[in-house]
Amino acid sequence: HSPPDVSSATITQPLDHRHPAPGTNSSAATYEQRYFSTDRYALPSSPLQNVGFLCVGGEGPPLTSRVLSDSVHCTGDMLETARRLHAGGTSVRMYALEHRYYGESLPDFGEGPVDYAYLSSRQA
């Protein structure tokens, strides 16, 4: 069951952060990296007290829409801190970024094999 207040979208990322120009070093110069977001603890009018929390998915189970409510990746301290800040009048938005090559954030190499050269700590 997915939380109704968590949405997913993608952001276009360079496959090669060291050489991000289209067409360099790869047949797929960019890819779509999935992220999840929620405004669960956002306030409608708090222009000076806005914070955002980013949880970065890593090695482990793929992210789902439950990542910002009940997951091994982004629960505990982040969610409790967001709740407390919100209760004190701070607007909090939370995001969870899926790690490249995991879940739906897999670059498309067409008919060729997956090129794992871009799965590194330098590229993440």
Side-chain angles (χ1 to χ4, degrees), residues 6-105:
V6 176
S7 61
S8 69
T10 61
I11 183 171
T12 302
Q13 295 277 30
L15 181 62
D16 186 350
H17 286 288
R18 298 179 74 189
H19 305 95
T24 55
N25 297 334
S26 173
S27 61
T30 62
Y31 74 102
E32 296 301 308
Q33 189 168 18
R34 184 169 64 158
Y35 67 92
F36 295 89
S37 63
T38 183
D39 291 338
R40 179 181 309 132
Y41 299 113
L43 299 172
S45 59
S46 183
L48 298 178
Q49 294 183 356
N50 289 301
V51 297
F53 288 159
L54 174 64
C55 169
V56 180
E59 298 172 358
L63 300 186
T64 68
S65 61
R66 297 193 55 80
V67 70
L68 293 172
S69 60
D70 181 26
S71 122
V72 298
H73 296 286
C74 305
T75 57
D77 292 343
M78 184 177 93
L79 295 176
E80 179 61 20
T81 302
R83 186 189 65 74
R84 288 181 183 197
L85 287 171
H86 177 262
T90 298
S91 184
V92 181
R93 289 182 169 75
M94 295 187 301
Y95 304 91
L97 183 66
E98 187 170 66
H99 197 291
R100 59 174 46 211
Y101 287 82
Y102 283 77
E104 295 180 18
S105 297

